[in-house]
């Protein structure tokens, strides 16, 4: 058995999910102005896992009626049947590869979140690039890659060499490129360059990043959200989203999400000082430390101060 | 009679016009369109970079020319949807060259380019400018004079205007060089140059690929703020410090020739270890590492063809098989150098080869000989690829320059034919296949393979490992 940690144990992932929801809110407005369409009309496709958390959030926020869950494990499917947020979720026993292969060009735009948990990067990138030409104009593609480099070898030299063998077209890679703190940036660069070659811009279809984040809840994770569509419209969307402070449009480097885990008491105390207080002020006033050094503690608090609106707090609840 | 009268009557009403000549000059729009339609945007920019290199070759000292160095020379490219700028410190354009030749369309028989440069037809700069936009300023800061040449949008609209305005101007910087600014970009160029475009993502690597050998010689190229990533062919060479060591060695096949003023240097060999059967099958599904395989053709240091695996470079005809994953470990490089650029097998876009040139036909025969040496070797190791893995791990991978240096000390044999031709044929390791062994191959459901793998190893391993472990286990039982 292989149980992935639940969402409430992955604070940074939870923050990223809420940021995604806010992005969809903004896109809803932009799409409304450009095309008179709404996110609620989109088909949502995802790998929801046993809890279908993302399906739940999207349905409760936008009320999407067409939702497709891709799940290979039969035991997880049985749990999804219990956890599905509404009757509209189609629980399929399909792999992402099968879904992409069988997908026919549709007129209905989709939000597709390929939330990969393994490190089969070659196959995953190939899947994404096969999917792009099949998506309806103004679809949203979100790809999450995990940067566990242990699968590449026992040490950084071996890992850099293995990555170079896998992606020789975009190498060579140095040992620093495969370190935990750098691997997401390396994957981002590989993704961008390979996508540019697999799906070069045309008047009718271009792909631009809207937001990219990297975080680490035990494993480095990179997540990129893109818009796919005619180049003029895609550019109009990126221009609108660029104004959002948490965006990183046009393939700008991924932003880091690294919020310190706070107890409920700490969170309430810090939140009372925000949004006006400087991270240094928060650290000094509450005499908090999250790292060995004072400066590192301020850096950690800075990330919290930036993202505090999106940081959830999970509490034990007896039903 | 009536007919004659009618003609005379008609001619009386016609205004009298001198019939002397008819117009034969091109319409500007047609001319510009014809000139630019067959060149890609990226190749047009590379043409401008070639001019920078030609400037550096013109300007460098004799001492640098003797060392074939371009150290200290640079070119910087800035792309945006508002403006294209390329700037260099390669000496600028001499006023006489600008006045008589550089801005004219086509090569002049009276102007001879400096030996070893890469400009071929004298059209690169104009074609690149026309490809990108309709307003351009060329600033030249040469040691003897500084001037600006303007190409305004009106030039494109007026069929009679064939001159560009030039004025003397103060040098913009301390170093001698050229700045080309194109300000009124056309729509396609604007889209390509905009932030986030696929062009912006792939262009630096393309420059790096085409300029790897010039960059190795010290030339610097930046796109935006970043140096372009370089990529050059490196081939496995065992025991480079014991060149005359006897026995089988993983080394490249090397050929060199001098014919009709053209020097040819060629090397083909293993760029990586051989892939196992399972890896080859995986590569057939999706791969991001195929571009290193195949042939790279270099003319006067400029890469004109990269990692080609078609009949153009000898794959898939004659005695050479079609390229497939078994051969993804094989790469080759062939370099043509000549003082007379026109004699090189290079197309006008400098992104392809002119296969009709005799020198290329001859070289391709040798390229095929080299290829055959390695394709046959991989055939003999089929199924036993891992046995050689360690040797690749310990071998050195040598660049073109290192191979050229080392070839001075290798024992070459003469090749009969035109000019001076010689070759080094490596004695590659051979798999001694015993008749007592046979390869087993069968297909099972993936789920079942994973189940057996988990049962045997407590993890999912390669099907090959699973099959072999099963066999060994049963063999052990059978022996007991």
């Amino acid at each position: 058995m292989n149980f992935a940690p639940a969402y409430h144990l992955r604070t940074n992932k939870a923050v990223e999910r809420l940021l995604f929801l806010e992005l969809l809110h903004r896109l809803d407005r932009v799409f409304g102005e450009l095309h008179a369409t709404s996110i609620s009309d989109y088909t949502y496709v995802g790998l929801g896992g046993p809890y279908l958390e993302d399906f739940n959030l999207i349905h409760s926020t936008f009320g999407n009626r067409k939702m497709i869950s891709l799940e290979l494990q039969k035991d997880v499917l049985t749990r999804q049947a219990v956890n599905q947020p509404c009757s509209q979720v189609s629980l399929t026993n399909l792999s992402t590869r099968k879904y992409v292969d069988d997908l026919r060009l549709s007129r209905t735009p989709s939000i597709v979140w390929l939330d990969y948990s393994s490190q089969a990067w070659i196959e995953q990138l190939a899947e994404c690039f096969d999917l792009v030409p099949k998506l309806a104009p103004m679809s949203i593609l979100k790809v999450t890659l995990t940067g566990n480099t242990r699968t590449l070898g026992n040490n950084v030299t071996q890992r850099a060499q293995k990555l170079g063998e896998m992606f020789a077209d975009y190498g060579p890679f140095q040992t620093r490129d495969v370190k935990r703190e750098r691997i997401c940036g390396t994957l981002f660069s590989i993704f961008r360059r390979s996508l540019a070659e697999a799906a070069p811009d045309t008047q009718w279809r271009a792909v631009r990043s809207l937001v990219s984040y990297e975080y680490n809840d035990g494993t480095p994770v990179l997540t990129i959200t893109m818009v796919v569509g005619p180049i003029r419209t895609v550019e109009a969307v990126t221009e609108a989203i660029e104004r959002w402070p948490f965006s990183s449009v046009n393939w700008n480097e991924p932003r880091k999400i690294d919020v310190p885990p706070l107890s409920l008491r700490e969170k309430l105390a810090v939140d009372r000082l925000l949004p006006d207080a400087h991270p240094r002020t928060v650290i000094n006033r509450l005499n908090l430390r999250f790292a060995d050094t004072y400066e590192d503690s301020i850096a950690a608090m800075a990330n919290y101060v930036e993202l505090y609106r999106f940081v959830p707090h999970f509490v034990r609840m007896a039903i | 009679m009536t007919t004659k009268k009618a003609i005379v009557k008609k001619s009386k009403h016609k205004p009298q016009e001198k019939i002397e000549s008819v117009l034969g000059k091109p319409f500007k729009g047609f001319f510009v369109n014809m000139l630019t339609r067959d060149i890609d945007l990226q190749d047009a920019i590379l043409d401008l970079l070639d001019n920078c290199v030609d400037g550096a070759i013109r300007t460098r000292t004799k001492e640098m020319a003797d060392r074939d160095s371009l150290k200290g020379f640079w070119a910087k490219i800035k792309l945006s949807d508002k403006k294209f700028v390329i700037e260099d410190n390669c000496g600028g354009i001499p006023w006489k060259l600008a006045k008589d030749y550089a801005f004219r369309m086509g090569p002049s028989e009276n102007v001879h380019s400096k030996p070893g440069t890469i400009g071929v037809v004298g059209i690169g700069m104009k074609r690149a400018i026309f490809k990108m936009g309709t307003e351009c300023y060329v600033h030249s800061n040469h040691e003897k004079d500084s001037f600006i040449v303007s190409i305004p949008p009106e030039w494109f609209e007026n069929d009679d205007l064939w001159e560009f305005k030039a004025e003397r101007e103060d040098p913009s910087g301390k170093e001698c060089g050229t700045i080309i600014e194109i300000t009124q970009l056309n729509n396609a160029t604007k889209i390509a140059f905009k932030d986030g475009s696929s062009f912006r993502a792939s262009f630096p690597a393309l420059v790096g690929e085409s300029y790897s050998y010039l960059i190795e010689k010290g030339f610097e190229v930046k796109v935006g703020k970043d140096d372009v990533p370089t990529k050059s062919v490196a081939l496995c060479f065992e025991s480079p410090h014991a060149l005359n060591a006897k026995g089988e060695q993983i080394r490249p096949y090397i050929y060199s020739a001098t014919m009709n003023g053209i020097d040819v240097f060629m090397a083909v060999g293993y760029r990586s270890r051989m892939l196992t059967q399972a890896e080859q099958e995986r590569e057939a599904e999706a791969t991001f590492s195929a571009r290193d395989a195949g042939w790279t053709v270099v003319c006067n240091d400029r890469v004109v063809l990269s990692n080609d695996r078609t009949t153009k470079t000898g794959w898939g005809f004659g005695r050479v098989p079609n390229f497939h994953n078994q051969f993804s470990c094989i790469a080759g490089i062939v370099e043509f150098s000549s003082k007379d650029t026109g004699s090189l097998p290079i197309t006008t876009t400098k992104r392809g080869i002119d296969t009709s040139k005799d020198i290329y036909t001859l070289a391709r025969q040798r390229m095929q000989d080299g290829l055959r040496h390695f394709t046959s070797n991989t055939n003999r190791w089929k199924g036993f690829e891992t046995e050689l893995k360690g040797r690749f791990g310990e071998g050195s991978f040598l660049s073109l320059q290192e191979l050229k240096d080392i070839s001075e000390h290798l024992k070459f044999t003469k090749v009969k034919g035109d000019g001076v031709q010689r070759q080094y044929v490596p004695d590659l390791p051979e798999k001694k296949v015993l008749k007592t062994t046979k390869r087993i191959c069968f297909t099972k459901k993936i789920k079942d393979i994973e189940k057996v793998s988990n049962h045997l190893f407590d993890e999912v391993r390669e099907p090959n490992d699973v099959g072999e472990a099963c066999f060994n286990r049963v063999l052990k039982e059978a022996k007991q």
Side-chain angles (χ1 to χ4, degrees):
Chain A
M1 280 178 288
N2 177 21
F3 295 122
Y7 271 90
H8 60 271
L9 297 176
R10 293 184 281 174
T11 315
N12 291 315
K13 189 175 177 76
V15 170
E16 195 279 323
R17 223 160 18 113
L18 292 176
L19 283 165
F20 179 52
L21 213 60
E22 174 134 340
L23 171 72
L24 291 182
H25 271 298
R26 285 169 185 269
L27 286 173
D28 195 35
R29 280 203 293 276
V30 177
F31 290 162
E33 285 163 18
L34 290 173
H35 286 298
T37 53
S38 162
I39 287 289
S40 59
D41 300 328
Y42 276 51
T43 304
Y44 180 75
V45 183
L47 288 74
Y51 312 114
L52 292 169
E53 292 273 2
D54 45 333
F55 286 76
N56 198 354
L57 265 179
I58 293 202
H59 182 73
S60 60
T61 313
F62 298 101
N64 295 51
R65 296 182 71 82
K66 194 169 179 200
M67 306 178 94
I68 301 167
S69 156
L70 310 175
E71 180 54 59
L72 258 189
Q73 287 177 261
K74 290 218 166 112
D75 54 328
V76 174
L77 267 170
T78 62
R79 297 183 67 190
Q80 286 184 332
V82 177
N83 290 324
Q84 64 175 321
C86 64
S87 61
Q88 264 102 25
V89 182
S90 164
L91 303 174
T92 71
N93 189 202
L94 288 176
S95 66
T96 46
R97 172 40 74 191
K98 179 91 176 116
Y99 170 76
V100 171
D101 286 347
D102 292 353
L103 187 67
R104 296 279 169 268
L105 193 62
S106 156
R107 282 189 182 177
T108 312
S110 334
I111 300 165
V112 182
W113 183 0
L114 299 175
D115 188 3
Y116 295 116
S117 55
S118 72
Q119 285 79 48
W121 297 322
I122 290 180
E123 290 78 9
Q124 290 160 1
L125 262 58
E127 258 170 37
C128 296
F129 305 155
D130 288 345
L131 175 63
V132 165
K134 293 182 173 184
L135 290 172
M138 304 324 293
S139 289
I140 301 297
L141 173 60
K142 179 175 179 181
V143 179
T144 300
L145 301 172
T146 51
N148 184 354
T149 51
R150 269 177 297 180
T151 51
L152 296 177
N154 296 326
N155 56 55
V156 281
T157 312
Q158 278 180 9
R159 290 170 192 172
Q161 195 179 348
K162 179 71 183 168
L163 193 70
E165 282 175 22
M166 289 166 72
F167 295 104
D169 292 354
Y170 311 113
F173 298 100
Q174 311 300 321
T175 51
R176 64 172 184 273
D177 297 326
V178 291
K179 288 189 174 167
R180 284 172 71 86
E181 59 275 16
R182 183 63 204 132
I183 184 68
C184 289
T186 305
L187 287 174
F188 180 78
S189 159
I190 291 171
F191 189 92
R192 192 204 165 181
R193 283 185 58 192
S194 50
L195 176 68
E197 283 175 11
D201 292 347
T202 64
Q203 194 183 329
W204 306 278
R205 189 169 295 268
V207 187
R208 296 286 184 276
S209 71
L210 297 171
V211 292
S212 308
Y213 300 112
E214 57 172 284
Y215 57 85
N216 190 335
D217 287 314
T219 301
V221 174
L222 167 72
T223 181
I224 311 167
T225 306
M226 295 152 276
V227 58
V228 183
I231 197 155
R232 294 281 179 215
T233 326
V234 161
E235 281 176 359
V237 173
T238 52
E239 271 168 36
I241 295 300
E242 197 171 11
R243 292 191 281 272
W244 183 42
F246 302 103
S247 72
S248 46
V249 299
N250 291 329
W251 304 104
N252 281 332
E253 289 290 300
R255 289 169 172 275
K256 278 200 171 58
I257 302 175
D258 187 16
V259 292
L262 300 180
S263 72
L264 184 56
R265 283 178 210 279
E266 286 169 337
K267 182 173 164 51
L268 291 173
V270 174
D271 288 2
R272 267 198 294 273
L273 301 172
L274 299 179
D276 297 327
H278 187 274
R280 190 180 296 273
T281 316
V282 177
I283 289 287
N284 289 343
R285 194 170 299 176
L286 301 176
N287 199 22
L288 285 170
R289 292 291 182 275
F290 302 109
D292 292 340
T293 68
Y294 172 66
E295 290 304 326
D296 286 349
S297 295
I298 291 171
M301 181 50 73
N303 202 254
Y304 180 84
V305 168
E306 191 186 3
L307 295 163
Y308 80 100
R309 285 196 302 116
F310 305 96
V311 179
H313 196 87
F314 298 100
V315 290
R316 184 168 171 254
M317 187 173 84
I319 300 174
Chain B
M1 291 297 280
T2 26
T3 321
K4 198 179 174 185
K5 261 185 188 174
I7 291 168
V8 172
K9 202 176 177 185
K10 200 178 176 185
S11 65
K12 272 185 183 172
H13 291 284
K14 269 274 199 191
Q16 291 298 303
E17 192 181 328
K18 268 189 182 177
I19 296 181
E20 280 182 336
S21 63
V22 291
L23 277 179
K25 65 180 179 182
F27 289 108
K28 203 63 90 47
F30 169 80
F31 174 77
V32 168
N33 186 28
M34 287 303 286
L35 204 58
T36 55
R37 64 186 299 169
D38 291 332
I39 191 162
D40 288 338
L41 180 59
Q42 59 224 30
D43 295 334
I45 303 173
L46 289 182
D47 260 342
L48 293 177
L49 262 180
D50 288 342
N51 286 348
C52 304
V53 175
D54 286 353
I57 290 172
R58 254 193 329 259
T59 312
R60 67 182 171 182
T61 60
K62 187 176 178 303
E63 193 254 327
M64 283 178 86
D66 291 343
R67 285 190 289 118
D68 199 12
S69 168
L70 291 168
K71 209 168 166 53
F73 290 104
W74 51 257
K76 293 172 189 168
I77 296 170
K78 288 175 199 158
L79 310 172
S80 81
D81 56 340
K82 304 273 183 306
K83 191 157 81 164
F84 167 88
V85 182
I86 182 167
E87 181 181 358
D88 69 48
N89 71 338
C90 302
I93 310 169
W95 168 243
K96 188 161 169 47
L97 190 71
K99 185 168 157 269
D100 300 332
Y101 166 71
F103 290 88
R104 292 190 66 178
M105 313 294 161
S108 163
E109 286 177 6
N110 302 323
V111 178
H112 299 287
S113 52
K114 176 104 175 173
T117 53
I118 26 187
V120 186
V121 287
I123 201 76
M125 179 174 69
K126 285 79 72 178
R127 183 164 59 177
I129 292 167
F130 300 162
K131 181 77 187 176
M132 282 186 264
T134 53
E135 186 176 39
C136 176
Y137 302 96
V138 181
H139 307 262
S140 170
N141 179 18
H142 187 254
E143 59 178 356
K144 290 184 180 163
D145 232 328
S146 293
F147 58 88
I148 175 174
V149 176
S150 312
I151 306 177
E154 298 79 63
W155 185 89
F156 292 85
E157 290 152 17
N158 187 341
D159 287 341
D160 294 319
L161 187 59
W162 286 94
E163 284 181 352
F164 304 120
K165 191 181 166 194
E167 292 169 276
R168 185 161 277 122
E169 74 168 2
D170 290 334
S172 54
K174 282 179 189 169
E175 290 190 273
C176 290
T178 310
I179 302 171
I180 299 176
E181 287 178 280
I182 303 172
T183 43
Q184 283 206 9
L185 300 175
N186 59 41
N187 280 341
T189 309
K190 264 187 204 168
I191 288 171
F193 288 176
K194 205 161 187 182
D195 264 351
S197 72
S198 57
F199 183 90
R200 291 277 292 260
S202 49
F203 181 66
L206 180 91
V207 177
E209 194 175 275
S210 304
Y211 271 66
S212 287
Y213 298 101
L214 290 157
I215 291 168
E216 270 181 21
K217 291 187 172 175
F219 191 69
E220 281 178 58
V221 187
K222 277 190 192 317
V223 176
K225 288 176 187 163
D226 303 318
D227 288 323
V228 294
T230 58
K231 198 167 190 192
S232 47
V233 177
L235 301 175
C236 186
F237 198 110
E238 278 189 308
S239 317
H241 304 297
L243 289 179
N244 296 321
K246 285 188 178 169
E248 296 170 338
Q249 305 273 9
I250 302 175
R251 287 179 178 176
Y253 166 96
I254 301 174
Y255 165 85
S256 76
T258 303
M259 275 175 285
N260 303 327
I262 305 169
D263 292 328
V264 184
F265 183 88
M266 174 206 305
V268 55
Y270 288 121
R271 66 167 188 100
S272 67
R273 66 176 173 83
M274 295 173 198
L275 294 183
T276 63
Q277 306 286 306
E279 286 169 329
Q280 285 173 34
E281 281 169 25
R282 259 206 311 273
E283 291 261 310
E285 299 265 313
T287 177
F288 296 95
S289 58
R291 262 209 320 242
D292 278 359
W295 280 100
T296 296
V297 182
V298 183
C299 288
N300 277 2
D301 293 326
R302 165 80 136 77
V303 174
V304 293
L305 194 65
S306 267
N307 308 104
D308 184 84
R309 286 158 285 178
T310 68
T311 52
K312 216 182 272 181
T313 49
W315 284 102
F317 80 92
R319 293 171 307 136
V320 179
N322 278 321
F323 180 88
H324 58 88
N325 285 339
Q326 183 191 326
F327 307 133
S328 65
C329 52
I330 301 172
I333 184 157
V334 53
E335 184 190 48
F336 298 90
S337 323
S338 175
K339 288 178 178 174
D340 172 17
T341 316
S343 66
L344 296 173
I346 188 171
T347 60
T348 67
T349 59
K350 286 172 248 168
R351 283 257 285 159
I353 39 174
D354 181 355
T355 51
S356 65
K357 291 252 162 116
D358 286 350
I359 186 73
Y360 188 72
T361 309
L362 200 76
R364 188 164 56 183
Q365 286 165 4
R366 297 295 160 220
M367 288 157 76
Q368 285 195 299
D369 287 348
L371 275 181
R372 277 277 298 167
H373 200 66
F374 287 88
T375 53
S376 309
N377 190 247
T378 58
N379 282 337
R380 287 193 278 274
W381 284 97
K382 209 183 268 186
F384 303 97
E385 296 87 355
T386 47
E387 288 181 28
L388 272 183
K389 197 175 173 180
R391 291 184 67 167
F392 280 104
E394 286 164 18
S396 303
F397 284 82
L398 303 187
S399 68
L400 173 65
Q401 190 54 51
E402 288 168 326
L403 287 169
K404 278 161 109 174
D405 293 343
I406 221 164
S407 69
E408 310 246 322
H409 311 287
L410 280 174
K411 277 186 184 165
F412 274 74
T413 53
K414 279 188 180 172
V415 178
K416 284 182 184 171
D418 297 330
V420 182
Q421 299 182 58
R422 53 195 203 124
Q423 64 180 359
Y424 169 77
V425 185
D427 186 11
L428 293 172
E430 297 291 340
K431 175 67 189 171
K432 313 286 185 289
V433 182
L434 300 171
K435 283 181 183 170
T436 51
T437 60
K438 282 215 165 175
R439 187 161 180 263
I440 304 174
C441 182
F442 52 86
T443 306
K444 290 285 165 195
K445 283 183 178 169
I446 295 171
K447 272 193 170 180
D448 291 342
I449 298 170
E450 288 176 356
K451 192 169 269 181
V452 176
S453 181
N454 278 321
H455 179 68
L456 290 170
F457 307 114
D458 205 21
E459 64 180 359
V460 176
R461 287 199 187 171
E462 292 296 328
N464 194 34
D465 299 339
V466 178
E468 196 169 353
C470 289
F471 184 89
N472 288 340
R473 193 163 170 171
V474 175
L475 180 67
K476 199 175 169 186
E477 279 176 28
K479 279 182 179 172
Q480 283 169 355

